[in-house]
């Protein structure tokens, strides 16, 4: 026995460790799912915003520059639209080299169009004139749309890539041979000794100061937007953690209770006593059923049973307290008392029997043996609160719980599906939304002595067919 106990302790320790690891994995899973959804939605929104911006640009360019050679730039907008479509296809959460390459292609193409003169133009202006069209402002469109889909690191990268490409473009323009020296000289003669005025209006001037200012402002804006994206992602992950907590609550509580717990600052920590309906359900003869059967078949049967029982508990506003192998314990009126706790428990028990009858019809069609379920119900005072130190569990304890468990055992003695305490029936009859149909199938039985209780307990039974 000592070896068995030691094995159980080791198993429990491993279970606790696995539980903590599972919690971390759950958080990571929810965070990854949230980031994936955000990335997918953000990328779709970014590409659509790009297409809208390109359409607006295609319309406004001929208005700003009503010359046929502007068609060159309008056609180039199609390449930007194509790159956006490609980004939508290869986009994914995490590092993606194809996606980064497409972003770089965006910036490189815009740099090329901003600095290299239009080959379709019949007018050959100095290279410096290319910088007078203020094409740099279009980089801010790509930077803004990047915040919708990409990480803060990518936003920073866009800032530095743009700065580097722009610096290369300015260097390339500076190294081009001077082609309009005579024009520059006439401008110099016109402005005289005012060097600053000459640098501003000289058509061949690149304007290094203005270019440096553009790059500096762009990096500052990129850093601010990256900070905003990082903060937004942190809020998203925090929200994912909250959703994980809600999912954990949903494993035990009905959806309406989960909503209450989510909006309550101290929903479970306060230890208190209150009246609660307690339900125990169990598969009759499961040990004999499982003996010699394939483990996969046994587990499959348990899953079918628990799935249906859990559904009925939640549909009737109950709380799934715990699974007990081939049985379960549920409470009604936890963590907060309701107006129909006893009635909900009674209706849940009858729904459980009906659900198992439906399951047995399905099992019969598959040539599987039927299963029989017994349910015990009691209503009374219990103690509620968290127990444990590092691994907390919301506990419902007291003689009411023990009595409900023993009432479930009485179903074998009476050959029935449900045994209900008189206390629960009397309380259910006082609840406002009860009807005569709720008690029609119940048969009153002589009071029974329940181990652990001083006074005999009045009981009511419900047969399988009647339920």
């Amino acid at each position: 026995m000592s070896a068995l106990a030691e094995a159980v302790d080791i198993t429990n320790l491993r279970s606790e460790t696995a539980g903590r690891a599972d919690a971390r994995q759950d958080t990571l899973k929810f965070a990854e799912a949230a980031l994936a959804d955000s990335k997918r939605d953000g990328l779709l929104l970014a590409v659509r915003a790009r297409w809208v911006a390109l359409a607006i640009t295609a319309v406004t360019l001929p208005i700003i520059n009503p010359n046929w050679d502007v068609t060159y730039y309008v056609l180039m907008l199609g390449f930007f639209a194509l790159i956006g479509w490609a980004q939508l296809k290869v986009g994914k959460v995490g590092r993606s080299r194809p996606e980064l390459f497409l972003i770089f292609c965006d910036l490189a193409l815009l740099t090329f169009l901003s600095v290299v003169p239009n080959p379709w133009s019949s007018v050959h202006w100095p290279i410096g004139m290319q910088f007078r069209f203020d094409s740099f402002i279009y980089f801010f469109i790509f930077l803004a749309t990047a915040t919708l889909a990409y990480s803060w690191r990518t936003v920073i990268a866009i800032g530095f890539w743009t700065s580097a490409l722009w610096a290369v473009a300015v260097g390339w323009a500076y190294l081009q041979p001077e082609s309009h020296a005579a024009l520059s000289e006439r401008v110099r003669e016109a402005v005289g000794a005012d060097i600053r005025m000459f640098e501003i209006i000289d058509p061949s001037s690149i304007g290094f100061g203005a270019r440096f200012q553009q790059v500096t402002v762009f990096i500052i804006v990129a850093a601010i937007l990256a900070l905003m994206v990082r903060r937004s992602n942190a809020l998203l992950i925090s929200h994912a953690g909250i959703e994980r907590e809600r999912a954990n609550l949903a494993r035990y509580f009905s959806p309406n209770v989960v909503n209450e717990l989510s909006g309550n600052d101290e929903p479970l920590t306060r230890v208190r006593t209150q009246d609660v309906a307690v339900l125990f359900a169990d598969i009759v003869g499961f040990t004999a059923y499982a003996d010699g059967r394939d483990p996969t078949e046994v587990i499959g049967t348990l899953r079918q049973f628990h799935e249906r029982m859990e559904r009925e508990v939640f549909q009737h506003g109950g709380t799934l307290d715990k699974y007990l192998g081939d049985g379960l314990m549920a409470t009604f009126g936890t963590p907060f008392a309701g107006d129909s706790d006893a009635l909900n428990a009674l209706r849940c028990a009858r729904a459980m029997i009906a659900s198992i009858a439906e399951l047995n019809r399905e099992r019969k069609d598959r040539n599987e043996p039927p299963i029989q379920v017994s349910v015990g119900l009691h209503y009374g005072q219990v103690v509620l609160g968290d127990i444990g130190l590092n691994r907390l569990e919301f506990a419902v304890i007291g003689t009411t719980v023990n009595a409900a468990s023993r009432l479930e055992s009485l179903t074998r003695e009476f050959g029935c599906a449900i045994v209900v305490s008189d206390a629960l029936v009397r309380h259910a009859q006082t609840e406002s939304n009860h009807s005569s149909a709720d008690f029609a199938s119940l048969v009153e039985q002589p009071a029974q002595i329940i181990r652990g209780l001083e006074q005999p307990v009045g009981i009511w039974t419900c047969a399988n067919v009647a339920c």
Side-chain angles (χ1 to χ4, degrees), residues 80 83 87 100-114 138-140 142-143 154 157-163 165-166 218:
F80 288 113
I83 291 174
Q87 288 174 345
L100 294 175
F101 173 74
L102 290 172
I103 294 174
F104 186 83
C105 288
D106 262 337
L107 303 176
L109 179 59
L110 182 55
T111 302
F112 176 84
L113 295 176
S114 299
Y138 292 106
F139 282 105
F140 286 95
F142 292 107
L143 183 64
T154 303
I158 290 175
F160 283 100
W161 289 349
T162 300
S163 301
L165 288 169
W166 200 241
F218 193 82

Side-chain angles (χ1 to χ4, degrees), residues 302-414:
L302 281 178
R303 285 176 176 169
Q304 292 173 3
F305 166 73
H306 285 307
E307 177 185 356
R308 287 174 175 267
M309 299 301 96
E310 174 187 301
R311 181 170 64 243
E312 297 302 336
V313 169
F314 289 165
Q315 284 183 351
H316 291 84
T319 297
L320 178 60
D321 188 88
K322 60 175 68 70
Y323 288 122
L324 303 168
D326 58 334
L328 61 84
M329 170 185 166
T331 57
F332 297 79
T334 59
F336 311 108
D339 298 330
S340 305
D341 296 329
L343 195 58
N344 286 340
L346 182 59
R347 289 173 175 173
C348 178
R350 298 179 63 178
M352 284 177 167
I353 301 303
S355 181
I356 292 301
E358 179 184 359
L359 174 61
N360 283 334
R361 288 192 290 271
E362 296 175 4
R363 291 175 63 84
K364 183 179 180 181
D365 294 337
R366 298 192 296 265
N367 294 320
E368 297 175 350
I371 60 176
Q372 181 182 348
V373 173
S374 59
V375 182
L377 296 168
H378 189 35
Y379 187 87
Q381 194 173 77
V382 298
V383 178
L384 305 176
D386 284 339
I387 59 174
L389 179 60
N390 295 319
R391 186 177 180 180
L392 297 178
E393 180 180 345
F394 181 66
V396 180
I397 57 178
T399 56
T400 299
V401 177
N402 299 332
S405 176
R406 289 172 184 135
L407 289 176
E408 184 275 322
S409 300
L410 284 179
T411 57
R412 281 73 163 174
E413 180 179 336
F414 284 90

Side-chain angles (χ1 to χ4, degrees), residues 107-131:
L107 303 176
L109 179 59
L110 182 55
T111 302
F112 176 84
L113 295 176
S114 299
V115 178
V116 178
N118 185 348
W120 293 5
S121 177
S122 58
V123 179
H124 300 290
W125 288 340
I127 292 294
M129 288 295 295
Q130 290 294 119
F131 296 100

